[in-house]
Amino acid sequence: MRTIPQLFEDSCKLYPDNVLICEKAGGEYQAISYQSIRQSVYSIASGLIDMGIQKGDRIALLAEGSSKWLIAELAVLYVGAVSVPLSVKINEPSDLLFRLQHSGSKVIIVSAEELPKIRIIKNELTTVEHIVVFNPKSKLEENEFDFDQLSKKGKQSLSDHDKELNSRWRDVQEDDLANISYTSGTTADPKGIMLTHRNYTVNVEQACSLFEIPEWYTTLLILSWDHSFAHTVGLYVLMKNGASISVVDPGKSPMERLRNIPKNIQEIKPVFLLSVPAMARRFKKSIESGIKSKGQLTERLFYSALKTAYFYHGNGWAKKSIAKKILRPLLWIYDKILFSKVRASFGGRLKFTIGGGALLDIELQRFFYAIGIPMYQGYGLTEAAPVISSNTPDKHKLGTSGCVVENLEIKILDEDENPCPANTKGEIVVKGENVMKAYWKNEQATQETLKEGWLCTGDLGYLDQDGFLYVLGRFKSLLIGNDGEKYSPEGIEETFIDNSNYIDQCMLYNN
């Protein structure tokens, strides 16, 4: 299993009738099997061959998560082309134009909701030849095609392309480019992160070494599908294990989609969720509001239960003392009358959530751990495809980003690039097969970030004596106090936001 098409083919042989995706149709969730998705992938891949797509061509994907999103990306990879997943949160035409022009995308696959963004810049797109639209709601213009029509035509010509398609996906090599994934570009032009098929497949293997994902597991994929964390863990890790993904009901607007999440969780009853700090905070506030609405007695009892649970669980790693064992029956009662009711609001089957994408406040970790839905913090970068470390059910310490995945080297370096001992802060540097190939058309950034195969993350952190990784913030954004001590602004900023009902955003400035 060295390429994504091979990963998918292997899973289709092992789990042909398992559900791969559930999504809303006619107001109800409909299940689509691995075998059914594969047939759709073949049809779209055949349609792309009809379009003249060659190995190495870039195809942009701008859409909300759906079965068609996954079918489109797999079809792109099957014909040996390169997927360029773009965030639907990009609203500035110039930002979108830069990514499409810089990647040299030949085709754009876009949802009807995102199509107006493309039409605004359509005349400036010098490399784009075709625009393929999911579920078009208006009359298509020149060079625009209906995704379903492409699938239909591809299916009709599949017998003619069968031999070529089979040859194409089998000829894909592990070092071939699979994705160009763009950074946010908040401080300069976005960088296109070049991820190969092996970058992805090895990171899937590494993630599977941390978490056991049986084939009966299911998740509601809340995060944007272009997000590297959702992309690798939410799609390909589950696919590798024969598990299933459910799609959030998109509704008619982004706000309606957000409101649908709690309802969809109840419908799907996920076994685990992928989350980011902002979403974790929303979940926490929702739980606390629900408890408050039950009255003062329930609220006081809940916070007393939390206090007991915090003491009992400690940091999740320390050994349980005799005093803690005495509290076990009380905690059992609290769980029965309070925490189990909270878990029921998440469908009743939720075992854990995995947090990634940014630093997760330890108080959030303690809160979810206490109510019986541990939020295992992980760490990664898109440049590492992205998983570098994570806490797990078997090995976790609250306040850390867990232990490093298998087959990945890690060093903590000081400002002179010398290795730091345990519990000493420095830059996190990693080396392994999951590290990106380079930055697309940006040799200078590549040379600054990749040094003899080592990925310089730019993040400050340290390893403790137990091998747990602490991530403290961006190495270059540190603020220095009068005493020479270095501080990460993110931790202080997040503390303001977490502890105030009146502050939504803040920036720490140090002159």
Side-chain angles (χ1 to χ4, degrees):
M1 183 201 73
R2 310 287 287 193
T3 68
I4 293 173
Q6 187 63 64
L7 181 155
F8 185 53
E9 288 289 328
D10 289 349
S11 290
C12 287
K13 288 174 185 175
L14 288 170
Y15 319 106
D17 299 320
N18 282 19
V19 174
L20 174 52
I21 287 185
C22 288
E23 67 182 340
K24 280 283 179 83
E28 298 291 331
Y29 270 102
Q30 306 293 326
I32 310 172
S33 71
Y34 277 72
Q35 182 60 30
S36 179
I37 292 290
R38 180 166 65 169
Q39 290 304 317
S40 297
V41 169
Y42 287 176
S43 296
I44 292 297
S46 174
L48 292 175
I49 291 172
D50 278 333
M51 267 188 180
I53 297 301
Q54 300 297 318
K55 181 170 182 174
D57 284 346
R58 276 79 63 202
I59 299 181
L61 185 49
L62 177 66
E64 303 76 15
S66 66
S67 60
K68 289 181 178 180
W69 196 106
L70 183 58
I71 289 164
E73 173 157 277
L74 287 171
V76 168
L77 301 178
Y78 262 72
V79 298
V82 180
S83 169
V84 183
L86 300 173
S87 172
V88 294
K89 295 177 182 177
I90 299 172
N91 292 314
E92 284 295 326
S94 59
D95 290 344
L96 203 53
L97 180 63
F98 175 85
R99 288 162 170 80
L100 292 167
Q101 289 287 83
H102 186 257
S103 63
S105 292
K106 193 172 182 178
V107 175
I108 303 171
I109 301 175
V110 61
S111 66
E113 289 74 17
E114 298 299 304
L115 181 59
K117 295 180 183 179
I118 298 299
R119 285 179 171 171
I120 289 172
I121 58 174
K122 192 173 180 179
N123 294 332
E124 300 175 72
L125 296 170
T126 57
T127 62
V128 173
E129 297 176 4
H130 306 288
I131 298 169
V132 181
V133 186
F134 294 156
N135 309 316
K137 296 177 181 177
S138 58
K139 186 178 179 181
L140 295 176
E141 298 177 357
E142 187 181 358
N143 294 331
E144 294 178 352
F145 302 89
D146 186 333
F147 184 83
D148 290 338
Q149 288 300 314
L150 178 66
S151 178
K152 186 177 179 181
K153 289 182 180 178
K155 190 174 184 180
Q156 291 168 351
S157 62
L158 188 54
S159 57
D160 296 331
H161 296 314
D162 187 55
K163 189 174 180 180
E164 181 180 355
L165 177 57
N166 195 48
S167 173
R168 282 228 202 168
W169 77 256
R170 290 180 184 278
D171 286 344
V172 172
Q173 301 299 306
E174 63 180 68
D175 197 43
D176 285 345
L177 204 52
N179 270 182
I180 299 174
S181 185
Y182 280 89
T183 60
S184 59
T186 51
T187 55
D189 282 339
K191 294 190 285 288
I193 298 162
M194 299 167 64
L195 294 171
T196 67
H197 283 263
R198 185 55 183 156
N199 288 154
Y200 276 110
T201 58
V202 77
N203 205 229
V204 167
E205 293 165 8
Q206 290 168 325
C208 289
S209 75
L210 295 174
F211 288 89
E212 182 183 357
I213 306 291
E215 58 184 275
W216 62 270
Y217 269 27
T218 186
T219 189
L220 181 70
L221 196 46
I222 297 169
L223 304 179
S224 299
W225 289 25
D226 66 282
H227 190 293
S228 62
F229 177 43
H231 200 182
T232 300
V233 181
L235 297 178
Y236 293 121
V237 167
L238 271 76
M239 186 188 294
K240 165 75 165 59
N241 291 283
S244 67
I245 306 143
S246 293
V247 180
V248 175
D249 185 358
K252 296 178 181 177
S253 69
M255 280 307 298
E256 188 175 339
R257 182 185 184 277
L258 274 176
R259 288 195 294 268
N260 284 337
I261 290 173
K263 184 173 70 173
N264 294 163
I265 286 174
Q266 283 288 343
E267 293 171 302
I268 291 299
K269 297 177 172 51
V271 181
F272 75 96
L273 290 171
L274 304 181
S275 183
V276 290
M279 195 159 288
R281 291 188 196 102
R282 281 200 292 271
F283 284 149
K284 181 174 181 283
K285 285 180 180 178
S286 176
I287 292 167
E288 289 175 329
S289 295
I291 293 294
K292 191 171 184 177
S293 69
K294 301 292 183 183
Q296 287 187 357
L297 181 62
T298 301
E299 189 177 13
R300 282 201 300 268
L301 191 63
F302 179 75
Y303 285 106
S304 177
L306 275 183
K307 191 175 179 180
T308 303
Y310 287 171
F311 178 76
Y312 180 83
H313 292 300
N315 68 3
W317 174 254
K319 303 298 182 199
K320 305 292 185 292
S321 66
I322 294 174
K324 289 179 181 178
K325 288 180 181 178
I326 293 170
L327 291 173
R328 192 176 296 165
L330 179 60
L331 200 60
W332 182 85
I333 294 169
Y334 280 143
D335 189 78
K336 205 75 175 171
I337 63 174
L338 288 170
F339 297 152
S340 63
K341 306 293 191 298
V342 173
R343 293 198 296 275
S345 68
F346 288 89
R349 290 199 303 171
L350 191 61
K351 291 179 177 289
F352 57 85
T353 62
I354 308 172
L359 293 170
L360 185 64
D361 184 81
I362 188 170
E363 292 306 314
L364 274 174
Q365 295 181 45
R366 293 176 71 205
F367 178 87
F368 285 101
Y369 197 93
I371 65 174
I373 309 174
M375 184 167 284
Y376 298 120
Q377 170 74 6
Y379 167 66
L381 277 79
T382 305
E383 286 89 340
V387 184
I388 290 174
S389 69
S390 184
N391 285 281
T392 70
D394 296 329
K395 192 175 183 181
H396 52 267
K397 185 185 285 189
L398 304 186
T400 79
S401 291
C403 294
V404 176
V405 297
E406 291 182 355
N407 301 316
L408 183 69
E409 297 177 71
I410 186 168
K411 294 191 293 190
I412 307 295
L413 300 181
D414 63 20
E415 291 176 346
D416 298 319
E417 299 188 1
N418 296 315
C420 297
N423 296 305
T424 304
K425 301 173 188 176
E427 184 180 8
I428 301 166
V429 180
V430 297
K431 185 178 185 179
E433 282 188 282
N434 55 313
V435 170
M436 70 169 183
K437 193 170 190 174
Y439 288 118
W440 179 257
K441 296 180 181 177
N442 196 334
E443 191 175 336
Q444 181 182 344
T446 300
Q447 289 175 353
E448 291 171 356
T449 306
L450 292 179
K451 297 178 181 178
E452 298 180 357
W454 289 90
L455 171 65
C456 302
T457 67
D459 287 323
L460 178 74
Y462 66 91
L463 289 164
D464 70 9
Q465 67 279 1
D466 300 315
F468 286 89
L469 178 64
Y470 287 76
V471 183
L472 305 174
R474 295 298 292 166
F475 194 69
K476 292 180 180 177
S477 71
L478 297 177
L479 305 179
I480 303 173
N482 290 338
D483 58 358
E485 184 66 33
K486 295 174 182 175
Y487 301 91
S488 168
E490 293 97 333
I492 298 170
E493 290 162 354
E494 287 179 8
T495 303
F496 273 108
I497 294 165
D498 290 343
N499 290 282
S500 172
N501 294 323
Y502 307 104
I503 300 174
D504 182 60
Q505 293 185 22
C506 71
M507 185 187 80
L508 187 65
Y509 173 73
N510 180 37
N511 186 346

